[in-house]
């Protein structure tokens, strides 16, 4: 009977050890994808913030280009008027 009790204890220890090992590995298997998912989410958030920053910079640049374009148009009109006045002065012979 002592052999049977030893075998039972050994078998029970083996089964308990197996389930403990299985549960630890199962926890690691669950933690690993969760960690990877958290890392991926963080990287996507960083990419999203970078895209938003680029979008804001682009809008500011677009506004500057629009303002510059309006200035060039005004200068062009002013230059045309100046040339017309110069042409009129030349026709009168004042130059």
């Amino acid at each position: 009977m002592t052999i049977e009790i030893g075998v039972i204890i050994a078998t029970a220890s083996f089964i308990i050890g197996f389930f403990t090992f299985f549960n630890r590995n199962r926890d690691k298997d669950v933690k690993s994808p969760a960690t990877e998912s958290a890392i991926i989410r963080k990287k996507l958030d960083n990419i999203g913030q970078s895209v938003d920053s680029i979008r804001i910079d682009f809008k500011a640049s677009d506004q500057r280009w629009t303002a510059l374009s309006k200035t060039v148009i005004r200068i062009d009109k002013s230059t045309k008027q100046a040339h017309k006045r110069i042409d009129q002065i030349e026709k009168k012979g004042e130059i």
Side-chain angles (χ1 to χ4, degrees):
M1 260 210 206
T2 57
I3 295 176
E4 291 176 8
I5 291 175
V7 170
I8 292 172
I9 291 173
T11 304
S13 296
F14 176 77
I15 292 171
I16 291 171
F18 178 76
F19 282 118
T20 302
F21 177 77
F22 177 75
N23 284 337
R24 284 185 188 164
N25 285 338
R26 184 178 55 99
D27 290 344
K28 287 180 186 177
D29 291 342
V30 170
K31 288 179 185 177
S32 180
T35 302
E36 290 175 8
S37 178
I39 290 170
I40 291 170
R41 279 192 201 123
K42 181 64 177 169
K43 288 182 179 181
L44 285 174
D45 288 343
N46 289 340
I47 291 170
Q49 290 173 354
S50 297
V51 168
D52 290 341
S53 175
I54 291 169
R55 187 176 296 134
I56 290 168
D57 291 344
F58 180 76
K59 284 181 181 179
S61 294
D62 188 46
Q63 289 173 351
R64 281 180 275 176
W65 278 107
T66 301
L68 183 61
S69 176
K70 289 178 182 179
T71 302
V72 169
I73 290 170
R74 277 187 272 126
I75 290 171
D76 189 43
K77 287 180 181 179
S78 177
T79 304
K80 285 181 183 179
Q81 289 175 354
H83 279 288
K84 286 180 183 179
R85 287 192 300 268
I86 291 170
D87 289 343
Q88 288 175 353
I89 292 173
E90 285 178 346
K91 285 181 183 178
K92 289 182 181 179
E94 295 178 12
I95 294 183

